[in-house]
Amino acid sequence: MADSEAVVAQTSSATAFTAAGYPPVYNDTNSDASGAAATKNVEDLTATGATTTMEDSNISFGATELTNYIADGSDLALSDEEERLWSIVRANSLDFNAWIALIEETEKMSEGNILKIRKVYDAFLVEFPLCYGYWKKYADHEARLGSMDKVVEVYERAVQGVTYSVDMWLHYCIFAISTYGDPETIRRLFERGLAYVGTDYLSFPLWDKYIEYEYTQQDWSRVALLYTRVLENPNQQLDRYFEGFKELVANRPLSELRTGEEAAAAALENSENGGQEVEGENLPNAVEQSSKPVSASLKDAEELEKYIAVREEMYKKAKEFDSKIIGFETAIRRPYFHVRPLSGVELENWHNYLHFIEGVGDLSKVVKLYERCLIACANYPEYWIRYVRCMEASGSMDLAENALARATQVFVKRQPEIHLFAARFREQHADVAGARSAYQLVHTEISPGLLEAIIKHANMEHRFGNLEDACSLYEQAIAIEKGKEHSQTLPFLFAQYSRFLFLVAGKVEKARDILDQALENTLLSKPLIEALIHFESVQSLPKRMDYLDSLVDKFIVPTADNPNVASITEREELSSIFLEFLDLFGDAESIKKADDRHAKLFLPHGSSPESKKRLAEDYLISDKTKLAKSSLPSSAPSVMGAYPNAQNQWPAGYGLPQGWPQVAQGQAQQWTPGYAQQSAYSAYGAYGTGYPQQQVPASVPQNAAYGAYPPTYPTQAFGQQSYAQPATAATLTPAPQSSAVPPTAYYGSYY
């Protein structure tokens, strides 16, 4: 085995970073056998004697490995600044700025100490495996020390961590060209990369480098074949490639451009055609013999014309498809990964592009576009969820499982919505243990006390006939919240538990008792009093009118002994709700008392004719219109509509789901409408708004899909971050380009 092949094949060390149990990611190369081509590429690289074969995939690094790896720096001498920065990233491994500062400090203080440099890069790239520029810097450190086997190990891990990065494969191939003398080893590496990113619209740097390499080898048939392959798919530089192909054909004879297979096929065709022409004819005379060179020349011209025509037809088909996607491609301003949020325009463009490609019906195109999307949008759970659902719908469960594993274990592992989706996905596929594990992870690590997780978990247990376990989930959560001072979550837990007991278990008295307990253990709040009003509205007569009136009065009429922190809007809305309740069930005296109180408190304070009109119109408004109004923010929630058979006459918009709290600097994101409607269950609408605001990590986008139950506990209070963008990697010289079509850099930075 050649030394160069042995180095390329040496990947066994990298397997320590591979998460067990991952199915291979899709790597189709326009073949019916979806994984065969890329698998063969890997086998080619390792067939010469490597001890471990490693499949290309976007690998996952578990949190346990990271924690163990960075927990103790005592084995290496660290400066005070390094110690300080390590302590920051141990406490918050998502602090990107701290990681970058730590890398810079380590490089400054540890010149020649490759162990310290390896440690910081290994730990950083566990958390941010898509930062391809830092894989490149890591490989450069190893290269300067002459550790070629370590360089290959780093690159092998990199192309697993960011498999669909054109630039990552480009850097790996450039390294191979500068290091190895065996053309076949280099070609195998190029082919591995092209199996994943060869149809990427911005893959031209890798094609350029491959064509350039074959030019240096003066292997014209390979050059012509590369041009033929690149003309099959839309590409930003498609016109330039077609011009380059025509220039090649004009300067080299057809005999040099054909591959061995093409030449054999042409010879066979000529032989068959020639036999048909001479059959039944006399031998030519001397004059006819002299015309043979002319005929041969014409034949060559025809074959050349046919050779060009076939590729021109490919080019035209690619251009036709290009015209359909150019708008989407042009709108992609940041195709690389960065921790900074994408603009709403770009996020919407990705959804539109995915929708279009899904309609084309080519699974290979669909998967590769999703993988491209999930480089730029790796921090957005909505795209991972969409990917999983798309693969599930296509019957590709291995791909669905792979995407879900990467999302929950690596890229959005600290965002509760992906784990709630995973729990529902597991349940739907009869993996009850997996569903429970996903919920338990949210309860214990991701977002303890998250109301949505408690509700969904309890409902799942009820579906499996475990009513006691469902009730236990509520009771445990209530017990925990009782131990906290001024818990904002506790009223909602009481209200939801009461509702669950009444609607699901049919335990009326216990449901009433839970609400009474809530009054004893929490401060008065609008959602809690609404829940009590709702509960009374569906009970038989007599109603507890005086009891409810005393609670409403205490809430809406602040006194020196009972200062109310609720806003005037909340108090006015609750007063209006109670007035409508009395209009249904009260007598004239109770109605007059409440009406006079309402007028005294709120009419002089800017209550507009519009608000009065709203109360009147609400009797006529449809449920559908109410749902449409739910998108408007409300300062206070309503829990009306929680119980069946209630006459839901409360002001429009009450009791409907509201989005998660918005994150600073436009970091919130929107789910696709279909998913949002599916997730924001109308059954939960009664308690869908006004949940206490949870402090969300600034770098973690949230969305409205789970708006019915926004988070209730702060999990990690991450400060707003400003991410500095490192310098651009060294510019690589591609093949000659036409000035008429200026190229666009695939990646503008290290990310």
Side-chain angles (χ1 to χ4, degrees):
M1 176 176 66
D3 291 342
S4 61
E5 291 182 332
V7 173
V8 172
Q10 184 64 42
T11 62
S12 57
S13 298
T15 57
F17 294 88
T18 306
Y22 265 36
V25 75
Y26 190 86
N27 53 10
D28 180 47
T29 53
N30 294 323
S31 167
D32 292 336
S34 62
T39 302
K40 182 179 183 301
N41 288 330
V42 177
E43 290 173 349
D44 286 345
L45 276 173
T46 58
T48 52
T51 58
T52 303
T53 298
M54 195 171 188
E55 291 188 54
D56 293 330
S57 65
N58 293 43
I59 61 176
S60 167
F61 303 108
T64 302
E65 287 88 339
L66 174 64
T67 302
N68 293 340
Y69 196 66
I70 68 175
D72 182 16
S74 60
D75 56 326
L76 298 172
L78 302 175
S79 67
D80 291 343
E81 181 63 8
E82 287 176 294
E83 287 279 13
R84 185 185 72 83
L85 292 169
W86 271 112
S87 66
I88 293 174
V89 298
R90 288 189 195 105
N92 175 15
S93 62
L94 292 181
D95 191 334
F96 187 81
N97 282 343
W99 278 113
I100 300 307
L102 177 58
I103 290 172
E104 293 173 353
E105 180 69 16
T106 302
E107 290 176 334
K108 181 176 69 176
M109 301 298 296
S110 308
E111 186 174 354
N113 188 340
I114 191 61
L115 294 180
K116 288 177 68 175
I117 291 174
R118 284 173 182 166
K119 179 166 185 170
V120 70
Y121 272 105
D122 285 341
F124 168 73
L125 291 167
V126 164
E127 286 296 327
F128 300 98
L130 295 181
C131 289
Y132 84 90
Y134 285 92
W135 286 110
K136 173 66 166 55
K137 290 180 69 176
Y138 190 4
D140 289 345
H141 277 295
E142 298 290 0
R144 283 194 290 272
L145 294 177
S147 306
M148 291 300 105
D149 56 339
K150 284 290 185 180
V151 175
V152 172
E153 178 186 317
V154 171
Y155 273 122
E156 284 294 329
R157 289 167 54 196
V159 296
Q160 292 182 67
V162 59
T163 308
Y164 287 83
S165 165
V166 173
D167 278 5
M168 198 69 260
W169 286 104
L170 176 63
H171 287 309
Y172 195 2
C173 291
I174 290 172
F175 163 77
I177 291 171
S178 65
T179 304
Y180 309 138
D182 178 20
E184 290 306 313
T185 298
I186 295 168
R187 286 170 182 147
R188 282 196 293 269
L189 190 57
F190 270 114
E191 292 297 333
R192 284 179 66 197
L194 290 176
Y196 292 102
V197 301
T199 59
D200 192 312
Y201 192 76
L202 298 177
S203 61
F204 62 88
L206 188 60
W207 285 105
D208 284 347
K209 183 56 64 175
Y210 199 179
I211 291 171
E212 177 187 305
Y213 176 74
E214 294 298 357
Y215 261 100
T216 65
Q217 301 299 305
Q218 297 189 5
D219 194 329
W220 307 118
S221 65
R222 290 183 182 274
V223 173
L225 182 59
L226 288 175
Y227 273 120
T228 300
R229 291 167 61 189
V230 78
L231 291 174
E232 290 182 302
N233 295 286
N235 188 296
Q236 190 196 67
Q237 302 293 306
L238 190 63
D239 294 336
R240 176 168 62 84
Y241 286 125
F242 187 56
E243 292 301 319
F245 167 72
K246 291 193 294 185
E247 182 179 349
L248 176 68
V249 171
N251 289 290
R252 310 305 308 181
L254 183 58
S255 59
E256 293 184 4
L257 301 180
R258 283 173 168 164
T259 63
E261 293 81 1
E262 290 172 334
L268 179 60
E269 182 180 356
N270 290 337
S271 174
E272 292 174 351
N273 292 338
Q276 293 173 2
E277 290 174 2
V278 300
E279 184 177 352
E281 295 184 4
N282 295 324
L283 291 174
N285 56 30
V287 175
E288 292 170 333
Q289 288 282 0
S290 66
S291 67
K292 274 190 171 183
V294 177
S295 299
S297 178
L298 290 173
K299 191 69 173 178
D300 289 345
E302 290 174 359
E303 290 183 0
L304 181 60
E305 183 179 355
K306 182 178 178 181
Y307 181 83
I308 296 173
V310 170
R311 284 138 186 89
E312 185 172 9
E313 185 62 25
M314 293 178 180
Y315 164 72
K316 289 179 179 178
K317 288 183 179 180
K319 285 292 288 183
E320 181 182 359
F321 194 73
D322 181 279
S323 68
K324 298 177 182 179
I325 65 173
I326 185 64
F328 300 120
E329 292 288 350
T330 303
I332 299 172
R333 300 299 182 187
R334 196 181 79 190
Y336 53 88
F337 170 80
H338 201 285
V339 291
R340 286 196 297 261
L342 288 164
S343 69
V345 173
E346 280 198 83
L347 293 173
E348 183 180 3
N349 179 67
W350 276 116
H351 277 305
N352 293 338
Y353 198 178
L354 290 166
H355 180 74
F356 171 77
I357 293 297
E358 287 169 353
V360 172
D362 185 329
L363 183 60
S364 174
K365 284 184 170 64
V366 170
V367 170
K368 290 183 178 181
L369 184 62
Y370 267 108
E371 293 291 347
R372 279 184 63 197
C373 169
L374 287 168
I375 291 176
C377 304
N379 282 342
Y380 293 83
E382 64 186 283
Y383 295 94
W384 290 101
I385 290 173
R386 178 170 180 163
Y387 189 14
V388 173
R389 293 171 64 85
C390 179
M391 293 301 101
E392 179 188 25
S394 71
S396 304
M397 288 304 298
D398 282 351
L399 301 180
E401 291 283 358
N402 178 281
L404 187 59
R406 284 185 281 154
T408 56
Q409 297 177 29
V410 185
F411 296 105
V412 285
K413 62 188 176 185
R414 290 177 179 82
Q415 299 194 41
E417 56 264 46
I418 193 65
H419 297 284
L420 296 181
F421 171 80
R424 183 60 55 84
F425 181 86
R426 300 297 181 202
E427 180 190 352
Q428 290 168 351
H429 292 276
D431 183 3
V432 180
R436 287 190 176 117
S437 295
Y439 282 125
Q440 196 61 31
L441 185 64
V442 177
H443 298 327
T444 58
E445 295 183 27
I446 306 301
S447 187
L450 182 64
L451 189 58
E452 182 186 5
I454 296 166
I455 292 168
K456 287 190 171 182
H457 191 179
N459 290 344
M460 185 190 76
E461 294 299 344
H462 168 250
R463 284 193 292 275
F464 291 125
N466 303 320
L467 184 60
E468 290 186 4
D469 290 343
C471 293
S472 177
L473 286 167
Y474 278 111
E475 290 166 1
Q476 289 174 14
I478 288 171
I480 292 172
E481 289 301 308
K482 279 183 179 179
K484 299 179 180 180
E485 187 176 0
H486 304 308
S487 169
Q488 293 182 331
T489 304
L490 192 54
F492 296 96
L493 276 170
F494 275 120
Q496 284 289 353
Y497 188 25
S498 172
R499 174 175 175 269
F500 180 82
L501 289 169
F502 176 74
L503 293 176
V504 176
K507 299 180 179 180
V508 178
E509 291 305 318
K510 187 171 182 180
R512 178 182 281 114
D513 182 60
I514 291 297
L515 292 176
D516 290 341
Q517 287 182 38
L519 293 172
E520 297 173 3
N521 289 275
T522 67
L523 296 175
L524 278 181
S525 64
K526 178 175 176 285
L528 183 56
I529 298 176
E530 274 190 80
L532 284 160
I533 294 173
H534 272 287
F535 185 80
E536 287 300 321
S537 71
V538 296
Q539 302 305 311
S540 58
L541 295 174
K543 310 290 185 183
R544 297 192 294 176
M545 297 292 187
D546 293 340
Y547 177 63
L548 291 177
D549 183 80
S550 66
L551 294 176
V552 171
D553 188 80
K554 187 176 181 180
F555 181 78
I556 68 175
V557 183
T559 63
D561 296 332
N562 182 37
N564 197 316
V565 296
S567 68
I568 189 171
T569 302
E570 280 189 308
R571 290 186 283 123
E572 182 177 2
E573 287 183 350
L574 183 63
S575 179
S576 298
I577 291 170
F578 186 57
L579 278 171
E580 294 183 31
F581 172 80
L582 291 175
D583 199 41
L584 288 170
F585 305 109
D587 54 26
E589 182 180 352
S590 63
I591 293 172
K592 184 179 186 305
K593 176 184 175 183
D595 198 28
D596 289 345
R597 179 176 59 199
H598 184 89
K600 179 180 178 181
L601 290 172
F602 304 115
L603 291 187
H605 295 279
S607 180
S608 64
E610 181 63 28
S611 65
K612 298 178 184 177
K613 181 182 177 183
R614 182 190 65 179
L615 296 177
E617 288 179 343
D618 191 60
Y619 287 93
L620 304 176
I621 200 163
S622 68
D623 288 340
K624 183 176 181 181
T625 307
K626 289 183 179 182
L627 183 60
K629 286 190 176 184
S630 69
S631 61
L632 300 175
S634 173
S635 60
S638 171
V639 291
M640 304 307 277
Y643 301 97
N645 305 319
Q647 299 185 47
N648 194 4
Q649 305 291 346
W650 317 119
Y654 289 136
L656 299 173
Q658 177 178 335
W660 281 38
Q662 296 296 307
V663 184
Q665 296 189 2
Q667 292 175 348
Q669 62 186 13
Q670 297 298 324
W671 292 81
T672 55
Y675 190 79
Q677 292 169 9
Q678 180 177 358
S679 298
Y681 298 99
S682 58
Y684 294 161
Y687 304 105
T689 59
Y691 290 134
Q693 302 292 300
Q694 178 177 1
Q695 190 168 4
V696 183
S699 62
V700 179
Q702 303 294 332
N703 51 70
Y706 296 93
Y709 296 101
T712 55
Y713 282 6
T715 51
Q716 289 177 302
F718 300 155
Q720 188 68 30
Q721 301 180 18
S722 174
Y723 299 106
Q725 189 162 318
T728 307
T731 303
L732 301 170
T733 304
Q737 300 180 11
S738 168
S739 59
V741 186
T744 301
Y746 187 81
Y747 288 114
S749 74
Y750 275 132
Y751 311 106

